[in-house]
Amino acid sequence: MSLAHINALFNPRPPMEHKPSYTQQIGKKKALPYTGIAAYLGEFENKEASEAALASFKPIEQRPERRVRIAKEREAMMAETLELKKANWNPQEYSFDTDAYKSLFVGRLSYLTDELKLKREMEQYGTVKNITFVEDKNTGKPRGYAFVEFEHERDMKTAYKHADGRKVDGRRILVDVERGRTVKDWTPRKLGGGLGSSRKTKPKQTKQEKAAAARAAAAPYNRSRPADSGR
């Protein structure tokens, strides 16, 4: 870089051009006159319009509220369907013709258990007259329970006392009397009846209650060991 270029870098800039001042005076902006609210009273809504707007107002449904609403609708629909099935259920219209006071209900059967196997197990208590396996109407697959009719009522009572809990094909069966045609106003478990309590609705616990129950269950294991007296 030459010396002239270096001097040009440090030389001052030329002075700014002088401009005369603006002599014309700018006029002041006129402000709007102040007025009262009497001229705007007609813009306010009256009582009837406000009540109508309030009545037609629909708040936005939040996600938790939507979940609760859907759950209640499903519960109501299930209850209505259950009541309809209860009204149409008639145990006297069974497709098989057996003596209800000589028959037993045998549940929790293995799907591999056949009629010969069940008959061999039940003939230990008396003569078996008939065995009916209940199958699914749509698929034809077994439902896991059957009805066993004995020749004599005393044999049925003996099987009722001793066959319950017996192992058949690796599963412990449940034996009960045929309550559908012998007990008045009896409803099966699928219609909300039955003897079991596992399907009954239980009160839901909050997180605090669950935590308190967990702490109470773990309390015996959290106790400190007693000090060793020999140390």
Side-chain angles (χ1 to χ4, degrees), residues 160-172:
Y160 172 67
K161 292 179 181 179
H162 300 94
D164 187 28
R166 187 182 182 89
K167 264 196 174 184
V168 179
D169 286 338
R171 300 192 64 176
R172 295 195 180 275

Side-chain angles (χ1 to χ4, degrees), residues 61 64-75:
E61 189 178 31
E65 296 174 351
R66 181 173 177 271
R67 290 177 180 173
V68 172
R69 177 181 59 81
I70 292 176
K72 289 183 179 179
E73 290 178 356
R74 289 179 178 175
E75 186 177 355

Side-chain angles (χ1 to χ4, degrees), residues 124-160:
Q124 300 179 22
Y125 309 103
T127 306
V128 176
K129 182 179 180 181
N130 183 33
I131 294 180
T132 304
F133 277 84
V134 180
E135 298 177 347
D136 191 280
K137 295 181 180 179
N138 299 325
T139 61
K141 295 181 179 179
R143 297 285 300 274
Y145 62 94
F147 293 92
V148 181
E149 182 184 10
F150 287 86
E151 193 72 34
H152 305 286
E153 187 174 351
R154 64 176 181 273
D155 298 336
M156 182 271 294
K157 293 181 179 179
T158 303
Y160 172 67

Side-chain angles (χ1 to χ4, degrees), residues 13 32 49 87 92 148 175 188 225:
R13 293 183 180 182
L32 295 176
Q92 304 299 332
V148 181
V175 178
R225 298 179 60 182

Side-chain angles (χ1 to χ4, degrees), residues 33-106:
Y34 290 101
T35 58
I37 64 171
Y40 303 98
L41 290 178
E43 302 296 333
F44 290 93
E45 60 183 2
N46 51 21
K47 183 179 180 181
E48 292 78 8
S50 61
E51 292 179 353
L54 186 62
S56 61
F57 174 73
K58 293 182 179 180
I60 300 175
E61 189 178 31
Q62 302 297 327
R63 183 174 295 179
E65 296 174 351
R66 181 173 177 271
R67 290 177 180 173
V68 172
R69 177 181 59 81
I70 292 176
K72 289 183 179 179
E73 290 178 356
R74 289 179 178 175
E75 186 177 355
M77 184 174 62
M78 292 176 61
E80 184 179 355
T81 305
L82 189 63
E83 291 298 328
L84 183 60
K85 289 182 177 180
K86 280 184 180 180
N88 296 332
W89 185 72
N90 185 11
Q92 304 299 332
E93 297 179 354
Y94 283 159
S95 59
F96 50 89
D97 186 15
T98 58
D99 189 351
Y101 293 93
K102 296 180 182 179
S103 301
L104 285 178
F105 167 84
V106 183

Side-chain angles (χ1 to χ4, degrees), residues 18-31:
H18 175 73
K19 296 288 186 180
S21 60
Y22 190 72
T23 57
Q24 185 178 0
Q25 187 178 5
I26 301 176
K28 292 183 179 181
K29 186 177 180 181
K30 293 183 179 179

Side-chain angles (χ1 to χ4, degrees), residues 106-113 117-118 121-122 142-145 163-175:
V106 183
R108 299 177 184 171
L109 288 171
S110 171
Y111 294 146
L112 303 178
T113 304
K117 176 68 174 179
L118 184 59
E121 295 289 340
M122 290 297 163
R143 297 285 300 274
Y145 62 94
D164 187 28
R166 187 182 182 89
K167 264 196 174 184
V168 179
D169 286 338
R171 300 192 64 176
R172 295 195 180 275
I173 61 174
L174 183 144
V175 178

